Amino acid sequence: MAMDLTGYITKTKELDVCGKKLKFSELTLLDFAQFQVWVQDKRKAENEVRRKQLIEMAKSIGDIDPMELLKYVDRPMTEDEIDDSMGTFEGMSFLVFKSLKHIYPEITLEETMKISTIGLVEEFVKSDLFPKDKEAKNPMSGGRRDRAKPSK
């Protein structure tokens, strides 16, 4: 039997967007999983274009095996590449969208991108709605982790 989640409310915060107060919801693990799928789907679409271009280039050059080139395009995304996507304008807009979608189910990603500003994203990231810990990436810096340099 499914658990009744009626009344379950995530943490929320009101932020000013273009003079209007909007309520944002804390991001859930499902939101981050959907972000990962969204990023991977975007990559697949971009790779389809790259595949066609590489095959055409290899044919025009003649002595290059297109399958050899395609192995560089057809590799899965790394965790770092997915994390780096968080720091892009599109990536941050998607996360803001997912936060708003909990409260405003009718909002679209395109509408969210129209109202998202650098100031809004910075305020959202600084809020307690966005996860933070020592290992977390800084979304405003491309999602990169601070990595210790190996000792020699």
Side-chain angles (χ1 to χ4, degrees), residues 3 5 13 17 33 39 59 61 67 77 82 96-98 114 119 125 137 144 146:
M3 188 171 148
L5 296 176
K13 182 172 185 147
V17 179
V39 168
K59 284 180 186 175
I61 294 171
M67 299 317 280
M77 288 184 80
I82 293 169
V96 169
F97 162 69
K98 294 307 291 183
K114 286 179 182 177
V125 169
K137 282 70 68 196
R144 289 172 196 85
D146 291 331

Side-chain angles (χ1 to χ4, degrees), residues 127-143:
S127 76
D128 56 353
L129 304 177
F130 201 85
K132 294 168 191 62
D133 67 18
K134 289 185 180 182
E135 293 298 313
K137 282 70 68 196
N138 174 357
M140 295 306 291
S141 66

Side-chain angles (χ1 to χ4, degrees), residues 24-25 27-42 82 85-102 107-114 116 120-121 124 130:
F24 291 77
S25 176
L27 292 169
T28 66
L29 292 178
L30 178 60
D31 295 327
F32 286 102
Q34 290 171 341
F35 174 79
Q36 185 173 2
V37 168
W38 177 74
V39 168
Q40 289 170 335
D41 287 348
K42 283 178 57 63
I82 293 169
S85 297
M86 273 191 212
T88 66
F89 290 120
E90 251 187 334
M92 284 308 303
S93 291
F94 185 86
L95 294 173
V96 169
F97 162 69
K98 294 307 291 183
S99 175
L100 287 169
K101 191 92 173 146
H102 292 281
I107 197 162
T108 65
L109 176 58
E110 186 176 332
E111 290 169 333
T112 304
M113 290 182 82
K114 286 179 182 177
S116 293
L120 171 66
V121 169
F124 176 72
F130 201 85

